[in-house]
Amino acid sequence: DAMVIQNPRYQVTQFGKPVTLSCSQTLNHNVMYWYQQKSSQAPKLLFHYYDKDFNNEADTPDNFQSRRPNTSFCFLDIRSPGLGDAAMYLCATSPRGAMNTEAFFGQGTRLTVV
Amino acid sequence: RKEVEQDPGPFNVPEGATVAFNCTYSNSASQSFFWYRQDCRKEPKLLMSVYSSGNEDGRFTAQLNRASQYISLLIRDSKLSDSATYLCVVNLNSGNTPLVFGKGTRLSVIA
């Protein structure tokens, strides 16, 4: 059974039209991450939550926001998607500070901006 | 210096070959190390964790060299199905720090 679930798998949105991507987890992990991955590039961390503490990467555009209403769910809001925001968005979770514990990824949401 | 650096490749090797990738990390306080495999248009999946003593899983061997701050992945008897991008991932494991990914090394195993 999938432990980190992202919805939808594929999302098409119009230029400038707000879009929300969702992620849920059944692992009860403290940490949830959002990564952006463009073609042939490494996943780029946008932000992460450590429980309810939100941590934004310095170079994450203001256009990207996130919400974590509870342990299980995390949302990525793109307020005004541009063509350059087309990418795969990956959600991942990990337990807090556990040694040698990997991150668990969802299958990703592939965002297309038209 | 980037936090996690990898040779992007591509490494093009014939079936049956042995291939090795290295990854260097800049933060000496890093605690956990992983190799992930990512297939085209799919999410990264854990290949193996890397332990101080080195570890082996079938045809895959991972090593950690803390003194020189690098980890390595060795693949023996390469299969066509090993073709993928291999991502090096490092974790400080202290409180509020995220995983840090390298840019990945692309491997193509050729028949």
Side-chain angles (χ1 to χ4, degrees):
Chain A
D1 288 340
M3 295 177 286
V4 182
I5 301 166
Q6 290 187 244
N7 282 302
R9 292 286 308 281
Y10 302 92
Q11 175 73 57
V12 180
T13 191
Q14 289 180 328
F15 183 95
K17 184 174 180 181
V19 65
T20 294
L21 311 182
S22 74
C23 177
S24 63
Q25 56 135 335
T26 60
L27 298 163
N28 206 35
H29 283 169
N30 302 89
V31 191
M32 292 188 79
Y33 310 86
W34 278 106
Y35 288 87
Q36 179 194 64
Q37 187 175 29
K38 297 187 178 181
S39 181
S40 301
Q41 296 184 24
K44 177 183 180 300
L45 183 65
L46 295 173
F47 22 62
H48 73 283
Y49 278 92
Y50 173 51
D51 291 326
K52 291 194 173 185
D53 292 336
F54 176 69
N55 298 271
N56 201 30
E57 293 299 296
D59 57 353
T60 298
D62 291 340
N63 197 27
F64 292 86
Q65 303 286 319
S66 185
R67 296 170 283 136
R68 189 179 186 185
N70 53 53
T71 301
S72 301
F73 286 88
C74 196
F75 300 97
L76 169 62
D77 300 309
I78 308 176
R79 292 195 291 194
S80 181
L83 297 178
D85 297 328
M88 171 82 94
Y89 289 87
L90 294 161
C91 173
T93 74
S94 68
R96 172 209 175 192
M99 292 295 291
N100 290 322
T101 301
E102 77 274 21
F104 295 81
F105 282 86
Q107 290 184 297
T109 294
R110 184 163 295 280
L111 179 69
T112 301
V113 181
V114 298
Chain B
R1 183 180 173 187
K2 292 180 181 170
E3 290 188 77
V4 179
E5 288 201 72
Q6 294 181 250
D7 181 344
F11 284 63
N12 299 312
V13 303
E15 270 187 293
T18 295
V19 62
F21 310 135
N22 281 340
C23 165
T24 58
Y25 59 95
S26 61
N27 192 329
S28 59
S30 299
Q31 300 281 340
S32 301
F33 310 89
F34 310 95
W35 283 103
Y36 277 74
R37 171 194 170 126
Q38 187 172 27
D39 293 295
C40 189
R41 301 175 75 85
K42 296 288 181 71
E43 77 277 19
K45 292 187 177 177
L46 180 69
L47 178 66
M48 57 199 306
S49 301
V50 187
Y51 303 118
S52 295
S53 55
N55 46 303
E56 187 173 312
D57 182 3
R59 297 181 294 110
F60 299 85
T61 300
Q63 296 276 354
L64 166 63
N65 185 318
R66 284 192 183 273
S68 301
Q69 294 182 209
Y70 77 84
I71 68 173
S72 63
L73 177 68
L74 181 78
I75 306 175
R76 289 180 296 278
D77 189 22
S78 300
K79 311 289 184 193
L80 294 175
S81 57
D82 294 333
S83 298
T85 296
Y86 291 84
L87 297 162
C88 171
V89 183
V90 173
N91 193 353
L92 278 176
N93 280 117
S94 66
N96 212 0
T97 54
L99 298 173
V100 181
F101 281 79
K103 289 190 181 297
T105 298
R106 196 148 52 91
L107 171 67
S108 291
V109 181
I110 304 160

